[in-house]
Amino acid sequence: MGNSTDRQLTGMAGEFLVVGQLFKRNLQASVTFGNAKAIDVLVHNPRTDKTFCISVKTLRRRNCFPLDPKCLSHTHTYVFVVLNSPEKAERFFIVPGPTLTSKPRNFFGASYDYKARAAVNFGPLAEYEDNWGYFEEHRHL
């Protein structure tokens, strides 16, 4: 399997797993399809009448998440997914866009200065693990 095929499968797995988690929480969610899309998942909470734009970043194993800081949007919610092996549960980290955009050095560390290879570090994501309550408490659109 080619590297681009593996990246595509990894990305799609993350998006569908995020949608599955949102469905479990009685949220309306849909994967968006298309090339170079800015939004990966749209989610609506019918209880609060709030809609969110989600950008999903997925890795097969724990590592830093490649992400260009110039592409961040304070209007998006970022869900970082670590797939792990099929025998091990996935991990989800839900970070509000305003948090990521207001403290980039906290999340990107030294890579923030090297925008060609910038990446969100795994460590700062810990406090956002399984932060699904965010979709109940906050508003984006």
Side-chain angles (χ1 to χ4, degrees):
M1 182 167 28
N3 201 17
S4 66
T5 301
D6 183 56
R7 274 195 312 269
Q8 184 180 20
L9 290 175
T10 299
M12 289 177 66
E15 291 171 16
F16 281 103
L17 286 164
V18 167
V19 168
Q21 289 291 321
L22 294 165
F23 284 164
K24 282 176 64 174
R25 290 162 173 81
N26 294 314
L27 297 167
Q28 299 168 359
S30 177
V31 172
T32 64
F33 293 98
N35 291 333
K37 55 187 182 168
I39 300 167
D40 297 315
V41 175
L42 284 173
V43 61
H44 180 74
N45 184 333
R47 293 175 297 283
T48 61
D49 197 32
K50 308 298 183 213
T51 300
F52 301 82
C53 298
I54 299 177
S55 182
V56 179
K57 304 298 175 195
T58 308
L59 297 172
R60 290 204 171 265
R61 62 194 62 79
R62 181 183 157 167
N63 202 339
C64 54
F65 291 84
L67 180 61
D68 184 344
K70 294 184 303 236
C71 296
L72 293 176
S73 172
H74 71 281
T75 62
H76 290 187
T77 301
Y78 291 84
V79 180
F80 298 91
V81 181
V82 179
L83 294 178
N84 291 318
S85 64
E87 305 81 34
K88 192 173 174 187
E90 303 84 19
R91 295 178 72 185
F92 301 91
F93 304 87
I94 299 93
V95 183
T99 301
L100 207 53
T101 59
S102 68
K103 297 189 271 182
R105 287 195 185 281
N106 179 54
F107 290 96
F108 287 87
S111 76
Y112 183 75
D113 295 324
Y114 301 98
K115 292 173 179 42
R117 293 192 316 249
V120 171
N121 295 320
F122 188 80
L125 296 176
E127 69 180 281
Y128 300 95
E129 188 162 11
D130 293 325
N131 187 27
W132 299 107
Y134 176 78
F135 298 106
E136 293 295 335
E137 304 157 4
H138 295 84
R139 175 176 181 234
H140 262 208
L141 290 180

